[in-house]
């Protein structure tokens, strides 16, 4: 009998060791990891450079609070601003906290810097922004809200890629529009680039802030360091977590210069914000990503993976579509995929789902062509077997 809350539906596997793209369970069985702990271990398991940075920081200093200067935090922030459109960074400990910080910054900018009292944030159906009360309210899926009423005020949802609905939702209380550029948890749905450009123009015209949730799409995942780089737009605020620390829990909220005065001393904070250890992990992760050209490799490997999947799954009646960008890839199936995930695990391949009918593949950004071939062969075998079993039943 476990002493934990049963919040997580766990697979019957206990993983005890990892290296690169491989994981091992307590029975000694080896797995090829195409889920990276939900887009977190983007440099593979126990990446050497990040491990060394963590080990040497563990020997020096763990925590002093943000009442003192912290060189690792400055270094990690500078790496982020040097490599993005942002001018300032606030570190936190998770994606939900990064989005909370973004929502707070947007409200405070309007209320304290501009003095216009705006507070409403428009988000999109099928989106996912986290599990705190504000971020689950921002999330465009009812399942995360059940039993948590009352929800905080100030969030409005419209369908993605529907400009008329978005324009109709803007009013004199609107502070910001917030979106994922690829809805990952929601089923691997990419924003329409023309819609995104129209959203940017709408924000400029109406004085709204554009918040991009890059928690899953950022840090090289889609083939650019940040997904917004694909679309020729820049957000005013964006958020990171998941892949930013190679598995060390850390998040970040980044914004452009005009937003900086909104977060005055004491207006926002967190005890653990960017500890020496957390920011050692962030700095080493970014340095390794730049050195290894991880985003470029993710772009090339993503093309290979999507191409091979399309080829291998072509004509299977149980496969609806293969889609994605970089190494954020979805395989939409004709029915629920829970059994498929289990069958893949049985054959030594770990993947996750994105909604009931979509398999989500999130290999590390340094995955090799051989590993991609291996994964595609296993997926094709399992989906072909399912197709054969389904047709035998009819
Ligand atoms: C995972 C995720 C979050 C929440 O991050 P946590 O670290 O679980 O709080 C928010 N937005 C997106 C797009 C995510 O993928």
């Amino acid at each position: 009998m476990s002493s934990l809350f049963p919040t997580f539906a766990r697979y019957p596997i206990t993983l005890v060791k990892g290296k690169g793209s491989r994981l091992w369970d307590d029975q000694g069985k080896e797995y090829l990891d195409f889920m990276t702990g939900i887009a977190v271990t983007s440099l593979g398991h126990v990446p050497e450079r990040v491990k060394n940075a963590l080990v040497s920081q563990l020997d020096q200093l763990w925590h002093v609070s943000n009442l003192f200067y912290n060189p690792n935090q400055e270094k990690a922030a500078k790496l982020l601003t040097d490599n993005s459109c942002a001018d300032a960074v606030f570190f936190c400990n998770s994606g939900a906290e990064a989005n909370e910080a973004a929502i707070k910054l947007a409200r405070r900018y309007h209320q304290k810097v501009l003095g216009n009292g705006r507070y409403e944030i428009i988000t999109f159906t099928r989106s996912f922004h986290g599990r705190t009360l504000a971020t689950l309210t921002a999330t465009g899926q009812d399942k995360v809200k059940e039993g948590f009423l009352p929800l905080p005020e100030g969030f409005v949802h419209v369908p993605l890629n529907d400009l008329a609905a978005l324009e109709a939702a803007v009013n004199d209380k609107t502070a910001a529009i917030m979106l994922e550029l690829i809805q990952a948890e929601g089923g691997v749905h990419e924003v329409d680039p023309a819609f995104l450009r129209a959203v940017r123009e709408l924000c400029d015209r109406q004085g709204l802030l554009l918040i991009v949730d890059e928690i899953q799409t950022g840090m090289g995942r889609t083939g650019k360091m940040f997904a917004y780089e694909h679309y020729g737009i820049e957000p005013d605020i964006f958020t990171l977590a998941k892949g930013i620390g190679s598995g060390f829990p850390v998040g970040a909220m980044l914004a452009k210069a005009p937003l900086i005065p909104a977060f005055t001393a004491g207006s926002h904070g967190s005890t653990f914000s960017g500890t020496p250890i957390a920011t050692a992990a962030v700095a080493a992760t970014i340095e390794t990503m730049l050195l290894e050209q991880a985003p470029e490799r993710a772009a090339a490997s993503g093309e290979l993976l999507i191409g091979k999947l399309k080829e291998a799954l072509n004509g299977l009646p149980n496969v609806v579509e293969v889609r994605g960008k970089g190494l954020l890839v979805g395989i939409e199936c004709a029915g629920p995929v829970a059994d498929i995930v289990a069958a893949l695990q049985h054959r030594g391949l770990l993947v996750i789902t994105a909604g009931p009918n979509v398999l989500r593949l999130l290999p590390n950004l340094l995955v090799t062509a051989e590993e991609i071939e291996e994964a595609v062969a296993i997926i094709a075998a399992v989906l072909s077997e399912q197709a054969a079993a389904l047709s035998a039943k009819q």
Side-chain angles (χ1 to χ4, degrees):
M1 175 75 186
S2 170
S3 304
L4 297 167
F5 274 107
T7 41
F8 302 103
R10 295 180 203 273
Y11 299 121
I13 297 173
T14 302
L15 297 164
V16 293
K17 189 177 155 64
K19 190 69 201 164
S21 302
R22 304 286 163 174
L23 282 164
W24 290 269
D25 71 12
D26 58 353
Q27 311 295 304
K29 178 172 165 141
E30 182 178 303
Y31 297 88
L32 178 58
D33 180 10
F34 265 48
M35 60 170 284
T36 52
I38 320 182
V40 169
T41 52
S42 290
L43 293 171
H45 293 282
V46 196
E48 205 59 26
R49 200 186 161 91
V50 182
K51 183 186 84 173
N52 291 341
L54 280 171
V55 167
S56 92
Q57 189 60 47
L58 280 171
D59 270 337
Q60 291 298 316
L61 185 66
W62 294 13
H63 178 89
V64 290
S65 86
N66 282 297
L67 298 170
F68 301 94
Y69 287 100
N70 172 349
N72 287 0
Q73 205 180 95
E74 296 286 347
K75 179 180 173 183
K78 182 152 182 3
L79 278 164
L80 285 167
T81 54
D82 281 353
N83 289 285
S84 75
C85 66
D87 299 300
V89 183
F90 179 85
F91 286 107
C92 50
N93 314 293
S94 69
E97 275 180 77
N99 284 339
E100 283 274 343
I103 293 162
K104 286 180 71 176
L105 182 67
R107 285 187 177 184
R108 206 172 147 90
Y109 174 71
H110 282 289
Q111 294 174 28
K112 285 288 193 185
V113 178
L114 302 181
N116 61 22
R118 293 184 186 195
Y119 61 88
E120 220 166 69
I121 316 267
I122 303 175
T123 70
F124 295 89
T125 47
R126 253 181 354 203
S127 62
F128 182 79
H129 297 298
R131 300 286 195 160
T132 62
L133 277 171
T135 59
L136 73 82
T137 307
T139 293
Q141 302 183 46
D142 288 338
K143 66 178 183 192
V144 303
K145 307 182 190 198
E146 285 164 13
F148 296 122
L149 304 180
L151 301 177
E153 271 183 65
F155 294 90
V156 177
H157 304 94
V158 300
L160 189 66
N161 299 330
D162 185 340
L163 190 61
L166 179 63
E167 282 174 335
V170 174
N171 62 59
D172 61 3
K173 292 280 165 264
T174 310
I177 297 171
M178 174 168 174
L179 81 171
E180 300 157 89
L181 302 184
I182 301 174
Q183 293 183 327
E185 302 297 318
V188 190
H189 297 285
E190 187 180 359
V191 67
D192 172 3
F195 173 77
L196 181 61
R197 285 192 293 274
V199 172
R200 181 66 270 183
E201 282 164 21
L202 177 67
C203 287
D204 293 340
R205 222 167 40 240
Q206 305 267 10
L208 313 178
L209 298 168
L210 178 60
I211 305 174
V212 173
D213 179 342
E214 292 255 16
I215 289 165
Q216 192 149 161
T217 55
M219 305 314 297
R221 175 57 53 188
T222 70
K224 300 272 189 195
M225 190 58 100
F226 306 107
Y228 70 78
E229 296 170 44
H230 287 292
Y231 304 95
I233 61 110
E234 290 183 352
D236 301 295
I237 303 173
F238 67 99
T239 51
L240 300 169
K242 295 209 162 83
I244 195 177
S246 296
F248 198 93
V250 51
M253 185 279 293
L254 301 90
K256 292 202 170 198
L259 281 293
I260 295 173
F263 263 5
T264 49
S267 62
H268 187 55
S270 159
T271 301
F272 291 128
S273 167
T275 69
I277 300 178
T279 44
V282 172
T285 297
I286 299 169
E287 283 173 342
T288 309
M289 284 187 172
L290 294 171
L291 209 70
E292 302 277 349
Q293 300 190 302
E296 293 80 357
R297 282 172 69 169
S301 295
E303 256 178 55
L304 182 70
L305 175 59
I306 291 171
K308 294 254 172 215
L309 282 170
K310 283 187 171 162
E311 202 179 294
L313 306 180
N314 183 31
L316 285 181
N318 49 342
V319 176
V320 175
E321 189 185 32
V322 176
R323 58 176 176 255
K325 218 178 185 73
L327 290 170
L328 171 45
V329 175
I331 305 172
E332 184 172 340
C333 294
V337 292
D339 291 351
I340 302 289
V341 171
L344 294 171
Q345 287 171 351
H346 187 69
R347 293 193 189 217
L349 179 68
L350 301 182
V351 308
I352 44 171
T353 60
N357 294 358
V358 178
L359 293 169
R360 184 168 27 146
L361 310 185
L362 299 161
N364 72 66
L365 308 186
L366 310 180
V367 68
T368 65
E370 293 71 37
E371 289 162 345
I372 287 173
E373 302 250 2
E374 188 183 336
V376 171
I378 297 171
I379 292 165
V382 166
L383 286 171
S384 303
E385 273 165 29
Q386 188 201 39
L390 289 173
S391 82
K393 254 198 236 166
Q394 281 164 1

